Amino acid sequence: MKEKITSFQVSALIMFTIAPTGILLVPGAITAFAKQNAWQSAVLGTLIGIGIAALIGYICNQNPGMPLMTWLERRFGRWACVLIGLFLARYYITVSVITLSEFSNFISDEVLHRTPQWLTMTIIMLVVLYAVGQGIETIVRVNMITFLVSALLIAAGSLLIVENMHAKPLLPLWEGSFAPVLKGSLLPASWLSEVAVLLLLAPYIKEKNSAIRTGVAGVALAGAAISATVAVSIATFGPKLVPLITYPGFFIVSVVEIGSLLERLEIVFISIWLLTMYLKLSVLMFGAAQCLIQTFRIRSERPFLLALGLFVVLNAICSWGNAADFYSFTVKAGFLDLLFSNVLLPALIAAGLLVTAKGTRRQRSYDANDS
Amino acid sequence: MTERRSTPISESSASALEWIMDELGHGADIVTRAFACGGADDQPLITLVYIEGLVDPMAVNGRIVDRILDASQTLGEAASAPERLRLLKEKVLAVGGITEVQSGEHILKSLLEGHSIVLAEGSANAICANTAGGEHRGVEEPSSQTVIRGPKEGFTESIRTNVSLIRRKIKSPKLRIDYKSIGTVTQTQIAVVYLKDIANQKIVDEIHERLDGIDTDSILESGYIEEFIQDRTFTPFPTLQNLERPDAIVGGILEGQIAVIVDGTPFVLLAPVTFNRFFQSSEDYYQRFDIASFLRLIRFGSFLVSMLLPSLYIAITTFHQEMIPTTLLVSLAAQREGTPFPAIVEAFIMEITFEVLREAGVRMPRAMGSAISIVGALVLGQAAVQAGLVSAAMVIVVSFTAIANFVIPAINMATASRLIRFAMMILGGTFGLFGVMTGLMFLLIHMVSLRSFGIPFMLPMSPLSISNLKDVFIRLPWWALSTRPRLIADPKANVRQGKNQKPAPPSSSAGERNDE
């Protein structure tokens, strides 16, 4: 645990753990539910996400700075720790597999149509394993550079798309019932619940007791990015068109044209987005690796990482027969898994912490009385 | 390392001299001179030994030989050998650096460093007078790191000259120069130069520790030291800077960096360094800040061009033609129509040709230089295009890449980008922009994980340090650079100059004042 990172770095990392796939897939899905009010769903989802971040932050603040699993073992005992560790590892492996598939699907859809997916997956995984092998400090630092570059690029991009945006598609506000908006908010909320990775990152943060602030800031940033993408896509294409476009976030940029000189600018954004996807996958793989390493006290990390990477790549290749299968899995099972692993499990841990805290306090007072 | 022996010096000058000659292999450049001083001819009272070429002949003749001859009577009348030695030391020898030595090994080491040895009959001690000198290159303008405005002096091969060049610029008692000799055979002198209380003591200790850990027979250039003490070997990026300019080294020392001077080379090492330091030229600080900032941006841009341009060209023309404006695409397609190879092969042919020409330019005798440049220009330029081997656009790409590479002030960083370029070209040719971005991501992870003596290589970009950014991509005016770079200098010596030094015109103009 020599590595130390700052609260701001972790907030930025949380943003890039959530946003890359969020801005890609969320706009289309929630616009289908909530039509022109989809941006309200995204904002509402962000508020729910902030609540989740506060819960996660609360748990993190109880941790006196030990690695997550070591701490849980001390509080709940070996078997509970192994159960939680296995469950979380399973979750992170699943999300890694999903993200890797999304990533390589995108590459084969948009960029390299004829390259076999196993090859792109292997290359992606090699880079990710290199990052994970270098440690969390390296991942957050790469993230900071990407953060700065993408902030500049997004600022430039927003200036360029302003002329294509119209307020009309966003109107009328609050038409129809609130139910679709509420239903639509669950998807961004589940996406934002990925803030739970903070449980693993918090022990590395330099500033003590800053987990709530860190988590909330990260979720707010990611939520703002998703909400803005939703609003801008609707303002540009209208609520009917957005659900039909596979990747509305990038399609927005592709309509930009400056004279005949700069066309098809989306490739620039896609390039930066590729970097953020690498970061997201690195964080998730870091999560999977750390859960297993801490739970089972694995010493030789490098060979283990290779094996884990191979496992994730094979899973991504073999799990789904086609894109439709994959899509229905992410919408049906993935959504539930996110909520269960990132909200319910932490809530259980929090409850457990409260109970054991009371237990130990009572025990301590008994001891005091006895003596 | 070999064990240190200590051989006592024989009281008889003749046998002491014989021992020295035996040890040094009776070299013809070893000069001995005996002074009878009233003693028997076959048993002179005083003997002088030195190695020709390593000593300053003026000093030996004027300050030692001449003085001993003048004082030969006094010396002959001295009561005992120790008394004679004392007289020599205190009254006769007119040399500043004089030491009395007791061991034979010490005598040999001193002789090889250019000292003159004075032996006195009957004494087990010898006098060692510092007369080091001899021929070496004078201070000239640096050949590899030139500037338009700024000092024109460069380091030389002599460590003494180099140290004095630094001393002359920093007239502070806090300047520390720690000498050591490394290399069991070459015994090369190394000097670690830093400012006490401004350099971070932890890094100074770390450098000393790493230097002391070197166990080798020879150090011929600072490159040897660099490879022994750098943080990581398997990286294309240099983590120590080498500079030929005293002003640049002094600039670094004043920011808290530590210089390592190696005898025998004009290239002085500077550590710890961060990535951005390789894009700074000492001239940046002598020119106006606006043009200096502009040039910095040009250099960073050139680095990216030099690393990425061929790979991006390959990726875009092979995989992403839709990105190119239609008219350009049509003209590119027309050019490429006649060429038999895919873009990546074309690029490799041109890049390798250029690398060969470049290496030839460095190695070949100067007289043939113009011939090779004509051949090079013809081969690279017209003939290859006319023969249909490569397209004209590729020639432009490769030559611009090559020129961009020369913009980077630090040659070792320029070489790094040359190596990376080839890897990127393969990635761009096989996986298009995805490959290039993957390569960049790999590079970014690698660079961020690098450290130079414990200092993150990518500071101040990541970890972000806003105050350090004042002198990275742009250079703010001097009055705004009030602090030293964070982490590199001693935290207590953070403040470099006073605040609020922004110049402003006087509140009333000179003309008005005259009117009053």
Side-chain angles (χ1 to χ4, degrees):
Chain A
M1 290 282 282
K2 259 167 58 193
E3 296 178 298
K4 282 283 170 212
I5 48 191
T6 65
S7 159
F8 176 60
Q9 285 176 324
V10 176
S11 296
L13 188 67
I14 288 174
M15 176 189 172
F16 275 146
T17 310
I18 301 169
T21 47
I23 58 164
L24 202 65
L25 303 171
V26 169
I30 61 172
T31 312
F33 289 125
K35 304 287 182 287
Q36 76 271 27
N37 293 330
W39 61 274
Q40 296 164 24
S41 296
V43 172
L44 196 63
T46 308
L47 292 178
I48 302 174
I50 288 177
I52 300 172
L55 168 75
I56 303 282
Y58 166 76
I59 301 174
C60 294
N61 279 347
Q62 312 293 309
N63 184 345
M66 283 184 263
L68 178 70
M69 291 305 157
T70 320
W71 174 55
L72 289 182
E73 186 177 342
R74 196 157 294 179
R75 289 299 289 262
F76 301 141
R78 179 77 185 144
W79 283 108
C81 158
V82 168
L83 273 180
I84 298 175
L86 273 178
F87 186 82
L88 278 182
R90 179 212 57 83
Y91 160 72
Y92 281 113
I93 289 173
T94 315
V95 192
S96 300
V97 171
I98 292 176
T99 310
L100 182 62
S101 303
E102 270 164 4
F103 197 173
S104 82
N105 282 348
F106 180 87
I107 298 292
S108 65
D109 283 355
E110 300 285 312
V111 199
L112 300 170
H113 311 284
R114 279 162 36 197
T115 309
Q117 285 214 5
W118 63 264
L119 192 60
T120 42
M121 283 180 182
T122 313
I123 288 169
I124 294 168
M125 189 45 78
L126 283 176
V127 174
V128 167
L129 287 181
Y130 183 58
V132 176
Q134 298 292 329
I136 190 67
E137 213 173 52
T138 299
I139 298 177
V140 294
R141 285 183 182 170
V142 173
N143 184 63
M144 272 322 283
I145 292 180
T146 321
F147 186 80
L148 295 178
V149 173
S150 46
L152 282 176
L153 212 67
I154 287 167
S158 337
L159 282 178
L160 293 176
I161 52 179
V162 162
E163 64 160 356
N164 295 314
M165 280 163 33
H166 309 281
K168 217 176 146 207
L170 290 168
L171 300 172
L173 287 175
W174 296 297
E175 185 199 41
S177 82
F178 193 61
V181 175
L182 200 62
K183 196 179 168 198
S185 73
L186 285 178
L187 186 69
S190 76
W191 230 279
L192 292 168
S193 73
E194 284 183 2
V195 67
V197 74
L198 186 62
L199 284 174
L200 287 161
L201 299 178
Y204 298 96
I205 300 180
K206 229 183 263 173
E207 298 93 336
K208 288 276 158 257
N209 290 326
S210 60
I212 296 184
R213 176 162 52 101
T214 310
V216 168
V219 167
L221 279 171
I226 294 177
S227 308
T229 316
V230 172
V232 171
S233 339
I234 298 175
T236 313
F237 302 117
K240 293 213 177 84
L241 210 53
V242 173
L244 303 176
I245 306 169
T246 329
Y247 305 113
F250 291 130
F251 207 70
I252 301 171
V253 195
S254 67
V255 296
V256 173
E257 245 177 60
I258 307 166
S260 61
L261 180 69
L262 284 176
E263 301 169 38
R264 312 258 347 209
L265 278 179
E266 81 269 25
I267 198 81
V268 178
F269 282 77
I270 289 178
S271 305
I272 295 297
W273 177 82
L274 290 181
L275 297 186
T276 63
M277 271 309 263
Y278 271 117
L279 285 164
K280 179 184 175 107
L281 201 50
S282 305
V283 176
L284 296 175
M285 282 296 288
F286 173 80
Q290 284 302 311
C291 283
L292 290 171
I293 287 172
Q294 291 173 14
T295 309
F296 298 107
R297 298 177 192 132
I298 295 169
R299 292 264 165 73
S300 42
E301 290 188 15
R302 296 241 156 135
F304 168 72
L305 275 180
L306 272 181
L308 187 68
L310 188 65
F311 181 69
V312 169
V313 170
L314 288 177
N315 251 304
I317 295 172
C318 306
S319 291
W320 300 283
N322 53 46
D325 264 6
F326 173 66
Y327 186 72
S328 79
F329 175 83
T330 51
V331 171
K332 288 175 192 152
F335 170 73
L336 283 177
D337 191 16
L338 280 174
L339 283 181
F340 188 79
S341 314
N342 289 335
V343 186
L344 213 56
L345 183 72
L348 284 175
I349 293 178
L353 285 175
L354 282 175
V355 170
T356 52
K358 264 188 198 148
T360 46
R361 216 175 294 143
R362 205 175 298 148
Q363 187 66 43
R364 229 175 275 147
S365 62
Y366 277 139
D367 292 348
N369 285 347
D370 284 350
S371 61
Chain B
M1 272 202 208
T2 49
E3 210 177 300
R4 288 227 162 160
R5 291 174 301 155
S6 177
T7 317
I9 303 167
S10 163
E11 286 194 8
S12 144
S13 294
S15 51
L17 193 61
E18 204 183 315
W19 183 84
I20 293 172
M21 295 301 273
D22 281 345
E23 287 291 311
L24 294 176
H26 297 271
D29 55 346
I30 303 163
V31 180
T32 58
R33 169 79 196 264
F35 302 92
C37 295
D41 273 355
D42 58 338
Q43 206 179 9
L45 290 184
I46 290 172
T47 311
L48 171 71
V49 194
Y50 61 90
I51 300 181
E52 206 176 6
L54 296 185
V55 296
D56 174 9
M58 299 282 282
V60 174
N61 294 339
R63 294 169 187 277
I64 300 181
V65 178
D66 210 22
R67 302 278 301 179
I68 293 178
L69 288 175
D70 281 353
S72 65
Q73 198 179 355
T74 332
L75 286 169
E77 287 162 3
S80 62
E83 174 64 15
R84 201 167 294 127
L85 216 59
R86 193 187 62 79
L87 268 179
L88 271 172
K89 233 169 95 176
E90 289 173 7
K91 297 251 167 76
V92 179
L93 299 182
V95 178
I98 280 195
T99 43
E100 213 173 306
V101 296
Q102 276 100 26
S103 79
E105 282 70 28
H106 206 140
I107 288 183
L108 294 180
K109 187 166 181 282
S110 305
L111 271 176
L112 292 168
E113 280 170 3
H115 295 224
S116 302
I117 306 293
V118 183
L119 301 164
E121 180 66 32
S123 166
N125 289 4
I127 290 177
C128 169
N130 188 353
T131 51
E135 295 302 313
H136 53 77
R137 194 167 63 96
V139 175
E140 289 166 15
E141 194 177 344
S143 55
S144 67
Q145 293 156 4
T146 49
V147 293
I148 298 171
R149 177 172 176 181
K152 303 280 183 191
E153 61 186 10
F155 285 122
T156 70
E157 282 75 12
S158 153
I159 190 168
R160 263 165 302 153
T161 315
N162 294 351
V163 168
S164 68
L165 284 173
I166 293 177
R167 274 253 194 238
R168 255 178 248 169
K169 284 184 192 286
I170 307 181
K171 297 174 194 77
S172 159
K174 298 219 160 165
L175 186 73
R176 292 284 179 276
I177 302 171
D178 304 338
Y179 286 96
K180 41 188 83 201
S181 70
I182 302 181
T184 47
V185 176
T186 58
Q187 295 285 338
T188 309
Q189 261 201 315
I190 312 279
V192 180
V193 187
Y194 60 96
L195 272 170
K196 193 173 159 39
D197 298 336
I198 286 177
N200 192 333
Q201 191 57 40
K202 272 189 204 156
I203 303 175
V204 175
D205 295 342
E206 177 70 28
I207 287 189
H208 275 298
E209 198 178 307
R210 290 192 197 179
L211 285 174
D212 292 338
I214 299 177
D215 177 11
T216 178
D217 65 337
S218 60
I219 300 290
L220 296 183
E221 217 274 341
S222 48
Y224 287 43
I225 299 277
E226 185 178 342
E227 290 203 358
F228 275 117
I229 65 173
Q230 64 192 355
D231 286 51
R232 210 191 298 187
T233 297
F234 297 104
T235 168
F237 296 102
T239 46
L240 275 105
Q241 226 178 340
N242 63 68
L243 292 162
E244 216 183 332
R245 306 182 53 83
D247 56 327
I249 288 288
V250 166
I253 292 177
L254 285 168
E255 283 187 3
Q257 286 173 295
I258 298 142
V260 179
I261 309 177
V262 177
D263 194 25
T265 176
F267 291 96
V268 174
L269 300 176
L270 200 58
V273 286
T274 49
F275 178 65
N276 64 294
R277 293 289 307 211
F278 293 93
F279 297 89
Q280 299 177 352
S281 153
S282 53
E283 203 174 1
D284 291 355
Y285 300 98
Y286 311 144
Q287 285 177 337
R288 288 184 53 78
F289 73 97
D290 43 9
I291 185 72
S293 304
F294 174 67
L295 291 178
R296 286 253 174 105
L297 293 176
I298 293 272
R299 287 186 207 130
F300 278 103
S302 302
F303 178 71
L304 288 179
V305 164
S306 146
M307 205 165 63
L308 295 176
L309 186 65
S311 54
L312 285 178
Y313 176 80
I314 296 169
I316 291 172
T317 52
T318 317
F319 293 91
H320 316 281
Q321 295 91 348
E322 76 278 1
M323 276 180 74
I324 311 172
T326 322
T327 36
L328 180 60
L329 182 64
V330 171
S331 117
L332 280 181
Q335 288 175 28
R336 302 261 303 117
E337 202 181 25
T339 54
F341 306 116
I344 179 165
V345 177
E346 222 182 303
F348 260 92
I349 294 176
M350 289 304 285
E351 283 290 347
I352 299 280
T353 315
F354 175 72
E355 290 295 330
V356 168
L357 276 172
R358 178 170 160 142
E359 186 60 14
V362 179
R363 302 288 151 235
M364 123 199 100
R366 216 159 276 169
M368 293 177 212
S370 54
I372 204 93
S373 53
I374 292 168
V375 172
L378 282 178
V379 169
L380 270 177
Q382 280 217 292
V385 177
Q386 278 179 357
L389 281 176
V390 288
S391 60
M394 185 59 86
V395 175
I396 298 173
V397 167
V398 170
S399 33
F400 185 59
T401 311
I403 291 172
N405 194 36
F406 292 119
V407 173
I408 306 165
I411 292 176
N412 43 5
M413 188 51 86
T415 352
S417 79
R418 257 159 84 191
L419 279 182
I420 294 165
R421 183 192 308 154
F422 284 99
M424 285 292 184
M425 276 159 57
I426 296 175
L427 280 171
T430 45
F431 295 101
L433 277 182
F434 166 68
V436 175
M437 292 317 280
T438 302
L440 268 185
M441 189 67 192
F442 185 83
L443 217 57
L444 209 55
I445 298 169
H446 177 72
M447 287 167 81
V448 160
S449 68
L450 277 181
R451 280 167 182 277
S452 172
F453 291 87
I455 302 297
F457 191 57
M458 290 305 275
L459 189 86
M461 287 161 266
S462 188
L464 188 65
S465 164
I466 304 280
S467 65
N468 287 18
L469 280 176
K470 286 191 274 193
D471 188 18
V472 176
F473 297 108
I474 51 165
R475 174 180 82 77
L476 292 191
W478 261 113
W479 50 262
L481 304 173
S482 52
T483 52
R484 294 199 165 81
R486 202 171 62 86
L487 285 184
I488 292 178
D490 191 314
K492 281 182 272 179
N494 198 16
V495 178
R496 184 167 191 183
Q497 58 186 19
K499 285 185 189 274
N500 307 324
Q501 297 200 69
K502 184 180 177 186
S507 44
S508 59
S509 75
E512 282 167 27
R513 250 180 283 159
N514 286 345
D515 290 344
E516 280 168 13

